[in-house]
Amino acid sequence: MELGTMYIFVKDLEKSVRFYKELLQEEPLYANDDRWVQFSNKIALYNKNYDAKLIGKEPDDRFNQAYIADFYRDTGTSKNNIVVFNFVVEDLKMEYGSLKAINIGEVSPLK
């Protein structure tokens, strides 16, 4: 398993792009409207408000019901402190079985 891209959820995409340009000392490689901006090959910024607007306008045209349900699921935490890790694997079913076999209890953020 290899880390593909890490998506950092941000509240203000424009402000976050300025911050990460300064921090990483690099320009974004790619941008998809106001939805996400890719820095390097491992870090991207994701603007969840972009999807919220689309779901409100045309939910069935772009998103399946599972995504919409998860999108609105209340995790009890701010939606501005979420990071999603995308991993690249050769065999997803095999990797899922391997990870499922590891019993480390519930993983929670450091406090």
Side-chain angles (χ1 to χ4, degrees), residues 2 16 32 35 51-52 57 66-67 78 87 93-94 98-99:
E2 178 184 329
S16 297
N32 181 355
R35 189 177 195 202
D51 283 4
K57 292 179 183 176
Y67 179 80
S78 169
F87 290 94
K93 286 184 181 183
M94 182 189 79
S98 297
L99 291 172

Side-chain angles (χ1 to χ4, degrees), residues 30-46:
Y30 184 78
N32 181 355
D33 293 325
D34 290 332
R35 189 177 195 202
W36 59 268
V37 173
Q38 181 81 37
F39 282 93
S40 71
N41 61 343
K42 300 289 184 196
I43 298 174
L45 307 177
Y46 171 66

Side-chain angles (χ1 to χ4, degrees), residues 31-100:
N32 181 355
D33 293 325
D34 290 332
R35 189 177 195 202
W36 59 268
V37 173
Q38 181 81 37
F39 282 93
S40 71
N41 61 343
K42 300 289 184 196
I43 298 174
L45 307 177
Y46 171 66
N47 177 13
K48 198 166 183 179
N49 290 330
Y50 185 91
D51 283 4
K53 290 176 187 174
L54 287 179
I55 289 171
K57 292 179 183 176
E58 47 194 56
D60 297 330
D61 293 342
R62 296 181 185 237
F63 306 100
N64 66 32
Q65 194 55 47
Y67 179 80
I68 293 171
D70 186 62
F71 187 87
Y72 288 117
R73 183 172 52 95
D74 183 10
T75 60
T77 59
S78 169
K79 299 296 185 195
N80 198 35
N81 64 356
I82 297 172
V83 177
V84 173
F85 296 94
N86 270 344
F87 290 94
V88 178
V89 298
E90 297 252 342
D91 184 336
L92 185 59
K93 286 184 181 183
M94 182 189 79
E95 202 65 49
Y96 175 76
S98 297
L99 291 172
K100 194 172 178 182

